[in-house]
Amino acid sequence: DVNTGMTRLGADQVGLIAGAVQGVYVSTTAVQLKNAGNTKLATTGGGVDITGGLSVGNINSTGILTIEATYPRINLTDTNHDDDWSIINDDGSFLIYNATDGGQPLKIDSSNNTVLSGSLTIPEQIYHLGDANTYFGFNANDTWRVVTGGSQRLEINNSGVKIGSGERVTTILDE
């Protein structure tokens, strides 16, 4: 076959040709893998550039993974037929998308505002950043409380409302 083989392309450059189309290019500074003559994988001084889609079964990496596109996304497909998910840069907003159900359970916009759809389950308390003794949360079943300066200021449970360290209010307060 005269259209298939390895050929010298220039000084320190070799190509593998099949059907008169170059499939592999090798030089002292780069390697390129091509499909139909179009470069799909190329080594660079900074790593590897991939053009087109990439399907990977397992990734072990150190360093930085950069995905550049108009709508960059990482698809996480569960081969056990459970929900599939996508991590997306949606016009500057970070989005976690349930590809199976079509839901957007988490979105963080470019101003760092966070939107959750569905329920948020927390183990106990929500603290204010930089103020470890001020929080609100659930210290027991059927109980919600507010603590400031390390002291409980309000507690609401199925027995009534307690304000500060005072007595529990068990009837409706009228204005």
Side-chain angles (χ1 to χ4, degrees), residues 38-51:
N38 299 310
T39 301
K40 297 297 181 178
L41 185 139
T43 61
T44 66
V48 176
D49 287 342
I50 297 173
T51 304

Side-chain angles (χ1 to χ4, degrees), residues 59-117:
I59 296 177
N60 294 313
S61 175
T62 57
I64 298 171
L65 171 64
T66 300
I67 300 172
E68 294 179 1
T70 303
Y71 189 72
R73 71 189 301 150
I74 298 172
N75 294 325
L76 306 169
T77 303
D78 187 331
T79 58
N80 292 331
H81 308 292
D82 289 326
D83 283 3
D84 298 330
W85 295 85
S86 294
I87 301 169
I88 303 168
N89 182 340
D90 182 19
D91 293 325
S93 293
F94 175 80
L95 177 65
I96 294 181
Y97 178 76
N98 185 326
T100 303
D101 298 334
Q104 297 181 7
L106 174 66
K107 184 172 187 174
I108 304 172
D109 69 19
S110 58
S111 298
N112 292 324
N113 297 311
T114 302
V115 177
L116 297 171
S117 62

Side-chain angles (χ1 to χ4, degrees), residues 2 22 103 125-126:
V2 295
Q22 182 179 340
Q125 317 296 347
I126 296 178

Side-chain angles (χ1 to χ4, degrees), residues 122-134:
I122 63 169
E124 193 170 316
Q125 317 296 347
I126 296 178
Y127 289 83
H128 180 249
L129 182 64
D131 190 359
N133 63 359
T134 299

